[in-house]
């Protein structure tokens, strides 16, 4: 049945969606717009009442309707009041549904009802003479701490709703496209974050700003000594005051615990948040031990298709992927190749993404060698190994290979990791129970001043001298970028190479870098991509 031939409820028939880095919803009939976070997806291709039934199931729709009618029995909410439903792709897994009762007065004040047994929050609000209901439901039972997170999520969504005179039919520019264009010709990271500043005025609602900060944090994370990155993180993370860190294992003990869990495993999966270089550095710290346990495959989600030459070339380039432009990701890849890992690309965008990701990994590893040992590096919720309404890559790979993976989750602890103080790593004692979504959850608090190109290798503190020209250019532009490259890579690739270190210079203090023995090319660039100085460094 085509989308045009199925029944559409009156108000739901006016739904329009613009899908980019954020998901923008518009209803011209109701004069309502809503900016959902990029982690949401609208359910069903047609997003109408029948397709909603087919993709979610009638039971879910009836539960939504029944909950509203339980608390507001006189309204008799039905299918004609349904507007749309959307779900998140990463945990916590939310289902968000909207209903409208036109020309109906219920109350002058907004109200929030929390139904804990149903794991659902109902937000009622009156606008322009009509009653609206937003239902936000958790996919499965969570601990009590998620009640506060549920309330915060509802507030974020409410902040992104615009009615009547505030209704807008335009969306802000795509920041990924703007940043990519800024870096395309010269690999100039400073141009990208300068472009980030320039487009800030085009993001108005809270959800638009959240998207702006998320993408901005991704690119700013590629540069150390960057106050803008720290500021963006402080606005992205809103840690609950009631959640405390539960751990008895810190630092070396925590690292040894991870190694003990890895020992004897055939399939290990570690996730990352795409704007957290410290996640990649932890992977770098574990690489050598994992290799000693017989692992020879490293499957990386972030690598774009058609990069087979990577295993021959032995180093990353700017064309390898987006997140691999991060020097910490580049160093992870270099060190893996140096040790002898074969790197597998497995990303598959579009429908059935997680299933096809798993199939790509399986076909390139276990299908060819049932005794293979595989380390998978994935984004956020893809390593969730639990069966669910929308199973993730880890679940599918577990089913295909018949191998129970060790899943190490390090993203959910990010809002709270700074509470570790001087500790750089901790194990979440509450989530080391096997059989759930993940086997081990950790708190990663590794500071960037501890990052090394090769972990556990002696380094020499190297001071980069500042000439009068460099000082004058810092005064002129406000900041310059110091990019340190492997000398051989830079000679071969120039700015198509991925730096070993990016360091933001915003004052006249000479940067002190920790470098292992080797030959390096250091480039100091302006925001306009001009090369201010080029230095050759030899560390013995």
């Amino acid at each position: 049945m085509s989308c045009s031939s199925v029944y559409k409820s009156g108000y739901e028939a006016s739904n329009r969606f613009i899908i980019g880095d954020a998901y923008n919803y518009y209803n011209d009939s109701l004069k309502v717009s809503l900016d959902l976070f990029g982690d949401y997806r609208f359910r069903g291709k047609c997003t109408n009442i029948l397709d909603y039934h087919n993709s979610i199931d009638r039971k879910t729709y009836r539960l939504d309707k029944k909950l509203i009618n339980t608390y507001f029995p006189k309204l008799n909410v039905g299918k004609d009041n349904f507007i749309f439903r959307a779900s998140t792709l990463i945990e916590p897994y939310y289902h968000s549904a909207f209903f409208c009762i036109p020309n109906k007065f219920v109350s002058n004040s907004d109200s929030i009802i929390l139904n804990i047994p149903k794991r659902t929050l109902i937000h009622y609000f009156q606008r322009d003479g009509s009653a609206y209901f937003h239902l936000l439901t958790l996919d499965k039972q969570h601990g009590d701490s998620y009640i506060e997170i549920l309330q915060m999520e509802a507030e974020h969504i409410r902040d992104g709703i615009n009615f009547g005179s505030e209704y807008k039919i335009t969306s802000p520019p795509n920041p990924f496209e703007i940043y990519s264009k800024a870096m395309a010709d010269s690999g100039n990271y400073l141009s990208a974050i300068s472009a980030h500043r320039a487009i800030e005025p085009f993001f108005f609602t809270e959800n638009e700003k959240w998207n702006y900060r998320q993408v901005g944090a991704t690119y700013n994370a590629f540069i150390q000594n960057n106050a803008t990155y720290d500021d963006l993180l402080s606005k992205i993370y809103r840690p609950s005051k009631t959640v405390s860190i539960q751990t008895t294992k810190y630092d070396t003990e925590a690292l040894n615990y991870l190694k003990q869990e890895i020992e004897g495993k055939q399939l290990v999966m570690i996730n990352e948040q795409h704007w957290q270089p410290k996640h990649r550095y932890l992977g770098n710290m574990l690489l050598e031990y994992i290799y000693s346990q017989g692992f020879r495959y490293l499957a990386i989600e972030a690598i774009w298709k058609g990069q087979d030459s990577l295993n021959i070339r032995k180093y990353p380039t700017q064309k390898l992927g987006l997140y691999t432009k991060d020097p910490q990701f580049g160093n992870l890849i270099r060190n893996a190749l140096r040790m002898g890992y074969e790197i597998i690309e497995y990303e598959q965008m579009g429908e059935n993404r997680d299933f096809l990701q798993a199939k790509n990994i399986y076909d390139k590893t276990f299908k060819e060698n049932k005794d293979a040992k595989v380390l998978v590096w994935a984004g956020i919720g893809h390593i969730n190994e639990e069966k669910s309404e929308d199973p993730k890559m880890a679940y599918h790979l577990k089913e295909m290979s018949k191998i129970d993976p060790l899943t190490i989750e390090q993203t959910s602890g990010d809002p709270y990791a700074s509470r570790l103080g001087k500790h750089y790593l901790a194990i979440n004692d509450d989530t080391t129970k096997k059989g759930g979504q993940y086997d081990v959850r950790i708190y990663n608090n590794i500071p960037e001043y501890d990052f090394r190109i090769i972990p556990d290798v002696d380094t020499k503190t190297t001071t980069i001298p500042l000439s009068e020209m460099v000082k004058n250019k810092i005064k002129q532009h406000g900041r310059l970028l110091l990019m340190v490259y492997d000398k051989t890579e830079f000679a071969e690739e120039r700015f198509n190479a991925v730096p070993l270190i990016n360091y933001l210079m915003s004052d006249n203090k000479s940067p002190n870098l920790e470098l292992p023995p080797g030959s390096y090319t250091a480039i100091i660039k302006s925001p306009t991509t001009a090369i201010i100085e080029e230095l050759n460094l030899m560390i013995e």
Side-chain angles (χ1 to χ4, degrees):
M1 183 177 289
S2 68
C3 291
S4 60
S5 62
V6 298
Y7 171 82
K8 282 179 176 282
S9 60
Y11 285 97
E12 183 259 341
S14 298
N15 286 347
R16 292 188 296 111
F17 306 94
I18 295 178
I19 300 174
D21 296 310
Y23 274 55
N24 307 111
Y25 160 76
Y26 307 95
N27 191 298
D28 297 325
S29 178
L30 291 171
K31 297 297 181 187
V32 174
S33 64
L34 170 63
D35 303 315
L36 286 170
F37 295 142
D39 297 329
Y40 275 92
R41 294 295 183 270
F42 294 103
R43 305 300 299 193
K45 294 181 180 179
C46 306
T47 319
N48 55 58
I49 195 68
L50 291 184
D51 194 58
Y52 167 80
H53 284 171
N54 293 334
S55 62
I56 302 296
D57 71 50
R58 290 181 179 272
K59 180 181 178 182
T60 306
Y61 166 71
R62 287 197 299 267
L63 288 174
D64 286 344
K65 183 180 69 171
K66 184 178 179 181
L67 270 177
I68 297 176
N69 288 328
T70 297
Y71 294 104
F72 301 89
K74 296 181 180 180
L75 295 180
N76 194 26
V77 172
K79 64 182 181 181
D80 285 332
N81 304 118
F82 168 75
I83 303 178
F84 73 83
R85 186 178 178 89
S87 299
T88 55
L89 296 181
I90 62 172
E91 69 161 335
Y93 296 108
Y94 297 113
H95 301 295
S96 187
F98 275 80
F99 291 79
C100 172
I101 297 85
N103 304 315
K104 188 71 175 181
F105 176 79
V106 178
S107 171
N108 282 321
S109 59
D110 294 3
S111 62
I112 292 178
I113 300 167
L114 189 62
N115 187 313
I116 294 177
K118 299 293 186 182
R119 308 180 307 281
T120 298
L121 181 148
I122 304 174
H123 174 220
Y124 156 76
F125 47 97
Q126 192 88 31
R127 296 291 187 277
D128 295 337
S130 297
Y132 291 88
F133 292 90
H134 171 216
L135 285 78
L136 191 64
T137 305
L138 282 170
D139 181 62
K140 60 172 292 179
Q141 188 66 53
H142 292 279
D144 291 342
S145 63
Y146 277 84
I147 295 174
E148 183 175 350
I149 297 175
L150 187 67
Q151 292 171 322
M152 291 172 62
E153 181 75 4
E155 290 175 5
H156 295 167
I157 292 175
R158 188 169 68 248
D159 289 341
I161 303 174
N162 296 291
F163 295 89
S165 60
E166 296 179 348
Y167 173 66
K168 63 187 187 69
I169 58 174
T170 59
S171 58
N174 184 323
F176 273 120
E177 291 181 359
I178 290 173
Y179 301 163
S180 296
K181 184 177 180 180
M183 285 188 67
D185 297 330
S186 62
N188 192 337
Y189 295 75
L190 198 51
S191 294
I193 64 174
S194 296
H196 171 261
R197 286 182 173 182
I199 64 173
E200 184 175 9
F202 296 99
F203 295 78
F204 298 100
T205 69
E206 284 303 310
N207 286 0
E208 287 176 355
K209 291 176 182 177
W210 188 92
N211 182 51
Y212 165 80
R213 292 163 186 159
Q214 176 187 354
V215 182
T218 299
Y219 277 84
N220 277 273
F222 299 162
I223 301 175
Q224 294 185 43
N225 194 41
N226 186 355
T228 301
Y229 173 66
D230 298 330
D231 179 64
L232 287 167
L233 288 191
S234 70
K235 293 174 180 175
I236 288 173
Y237 293 129
R238 304 178 185 181
S240 168
K241 295 180 180 179
T242 63
V243 175
S244 59
I245 289 180
Q246 303 295 325
T247 184
T248 56
K249 299 179 181 66
Y250 293 97
D251 302 335
T252 301
E253 185 180 0
L255 196 63
N256 288 337
Y257 176 84
L258 293 178
K259 292 178 179 179
Q260 291 168 10
E261 291 295 302
I262 291 167
E263 185 177 356
K265 299 298 190 297
Q266 189 177 354
L267 176 59
V268 174
M269 297 182 173
I270 305 176
N271 73 346
E272 69 158 39
Q273 179 54 266
H274 299 312
W275 57 73
Q276 288 286 11
K278 64 183 181 181
H279 291 172
R280 294 152 189 165
Y281 189 73
L282 178 65
N284 213 345
M285 292 173 66
L286 289 168
L287 266 184
E288 190 168 6
Y289 176 79
I290 295 174
Y291 189 83
S292 74
Q293 296 300 301
F295 285 74
R296 294 299 180 265
Y297 292 103
L298 171 57
I300 298 178
E301 173 192 309
I303 296 176
W304 291 335
K305 283 187 173 295
Q307 300 295 328
D308 296 336
S309 60
L310 173 64
N311 288 293
I312 300 172
R313 189 176 58 244
K314 302 297 184 184
Y315 59 81
T317 65
Q318 292 288 332
K319 297 177 182 178
L320 191 64
L322 168 59
Y323 305 123
T324 54
K325 298 177 189 293
D326 173 26
Q328 299 311 317
F329 215 147
N331 293 335
L332 172 71
I333 291 170
R334 283 187 191 89
N335 291 332
L337 291 167
R338 175 179 54 80
M339 291 175 196
Y341 282 94
E342 179 181 345
I343 293 183
I344 302 295
E345 57 89 3
Y346 69 87
E347 178 60 292
Q348 187 76 46
M349 300 301 290
E351 291 187 20
N352 301 317
R353 180 186 179 191
D354 283 86
F355 174 81
L356 293 173
Q357 283 184 337
K359 188 175 186 302
N360 287 340
I361 297 171
Y362 178 77
D363 287 348
K364 295 178 180 181
T365 56
F366 298 119
K367 186 176 181 179
E368 295 183 356
N369 177 7
K370 64 181 179 61
D371 297 320
K373 289 194 171 186
V374 182
L375 170 61
V376 178
W377 194 266
I380 321 173
H382 292 293
I383 69 165
N384 181 348
E385 58 182 292
E386 198 168 55
K387 185 176 182 179
S388 66
E389 176 188 299
D390 184 20
K392 300 307 173 187
M393 176 270 293
Y395 170 80
H396 290 300
L397 186 55
K398 183 178 180 179
E399 291 293 299
M400 293 176 191
S401 66
K402 308 304 178 187
I403 299 170
D404 184 17
L406 172 69
T407 47
I408 300 174
E409 198 279 326
Q410 58 175 339
T411 61
S412 62
D414 283 336
Y416 312 102
S418 62
R419 295 178 184 175
L420 292 178
K422 294 182 179 180
H423 295 291
Y424 70 86
L425 184 66
I427 305 297
N428 186 329
D429 290 343
D430 284 345
T431 56
T432 55
K433 306 177 182 69
K434 305 299 184 291
Q437 295 177 334
Y438 311 102
D439 294 319
V440 184
R441 293 180 190 259
I442 66 173
Y443 300 101
N444 183 333
N445 193 39
I446 302 173
E448 67 175 30
Y449 56 74
D450 279 347
F451 293 170
R452 298 292 184 268
I453 295 171
I454 306 174
D456 301 322
V457 169
D458 290 339
T459 61
K460 180 179 179 180
T461 302
T462 305
T463 301
I464 305 299
L466 298 189
S467 66
E468 287 303 314
M469 178 184 292
V470 169
K471 292 178 181 179
N472 289 334
K473 290 297 182 180
I474 291 175
K475 184 177 181 180
Q476 176 185 346
H477 295 289
R479 54 187 181 171
L480 301 177
L481 181 62
L482 170 64
M483 311 164 78
V484 179
Y485 294 90
D486 176 276
K487 186 173 183 178
T488 302
E489 290 180 23
F490 188 75
E492 183 70 26
E493 304 286 346
R494 294 294 290 176
F495 292 107
N496 184 42
V498 175
L500 304 168
I501 297 172
N502 279 333
Y503 188 93
L504 193 64
M505 303 167 64
S506 56
D507 54 36
N508 288 335
K509 295 180 181 178
S510 295
N512 292 316
L513 307 179
E514 295 295 329
L515 299 177
S519 299
Y520 306 94
T521 299
I523 304 292
I524 299 176
K525 268 193 172 186
S526 75
T528 60
T529 76
I531 297 176
I532 308 302
E533 280 190 357
E534 180 172 334
L535 306 170
N536 290 315
L537 306 174
M538 173 67 75
I539 309 299
E540 297 180 349

